[in-house]
Amino acid sequence: MDRAQKEKVVEELGQIFESSGVVVVAHYTGLTVAEMQDLRARARAAEASVRVAKNRLAKIALEGKPCESIADYLSGMTVLTYSEDPVAAAKVAEDFAKDNKKFEILGGAMGETALDRAGVEATSKLPSRDELIATIVGMIGAPASNIAGAIGAPASNIAGILSTIEEKAEAA
């Protein structure tokens, strides 16, 4: 790889480190090509990404970035799993690690917050951005539907009572 290519890789990695909600670092020694393709497919499905990069270039790209704390994890055969959503990449990495013992999660970062192995696991158990939005919308919508039901209930009760009175009057 020549100098221009290395500079391009450092720039790409810098953008990844700057814009990602979470970055997870793992060792992938012993994984087959098919297993790596499976990891990439799972990441794509969760709107996350997987990147293998030279550790030296990644460390250069990390300088001055919010997730600079992950530089300590960059040794050996490492792979980066990252996403804009602060939970998606952690969920993908954790699920993949459960199925593949050769995939060893070292740690990561969520913005400026460094995550150790347990931190990545805890992050993976949080609800995703979409799940939180759905919950909030449900909470906002619930009082409105309760109010509509309460307002509509007396009218339907009155209509029921009137129809009962009407039926009794016709029967008599």
Side-chain angles (χ1 to χ4, degrees):
M1 195 182 304
D2 68 353
R3 184 174 180 84
Q5 289 173 319
K6 288 179 182 179
E7 287 174 358
K8 184 179 177 191
V9 168
V10 168
E11 185 179 322
E12 288 172 2
L13 289 171
Q15 289 173 350
I16 288 169
F17 294 140
E18 193 126 341
S19 64
S20 296
V22 67
V23 178
V24 178
V25 181
H27 279 159
Y28 68 99
T29 307
L31 285 181
T32 64
V33 172
E35 290 168 333
M36 280 300 284
Q37 288 175 335
D38 180 35
L39 173 61
R40 290 178 195 280
R42 290 183 190 197
R44 224 179 352 267
E47 296 183 16
S49 299
V50 175
R51 177 78 187 249
V52 176
K54 291 185 179 266
N55 291 329
R56 267 184 68 231
L57 299 179
K59 286 179 182 179
I60 292 168
L62 275 169
E63 291 175 11
K65 301 296 185 285
C67 57
E68 194 170 4
S69 58
I70 66 171
D72 297 339
Y73 298 124
L74 297 174
S75 64
M77 292 180 65
T78 55
V79 61
L80 305 170
T81 308
Y82 58 93
S83 63
E84 245 181 72
D85 182 335
V87 179
K91 283 187 181 205
V92 168
E94 277 295 328
D95 290 343
F96 190 75
K98 287 177 187 170
D99 299 338
N100 297 284
K101 300 303 176 200
K102 298 173 194 168
F103 187 78
E104 179 191 347
I105 297 173
L106 303 174
M110 183 185 287
E112 293 182 7
T113 307
L115 302 172
D116 59 359
R117 175 69 181 92
V120 172
E121 184 178 352
T123 301
S124 73
K125 293 178 182 174
L126 294 172
S128 71
R129 180 184 303 162
D130 292 339
E131 292 168 342
L132 284 174
I133 289 171
T135 302
I136 291 169
V137 168
M139 288 178 174
I140 291 170
S145 65
N146 290 344
I147 291 170
I151 291 171
S156 65
N157 289 345
I158 291 172
I161 292 169
L162 289 176
S163 68
T164 306
I165 291 172
E166 209 173 286
E167 287 173 10
K168 286 183 181 179
E170 287 176 7

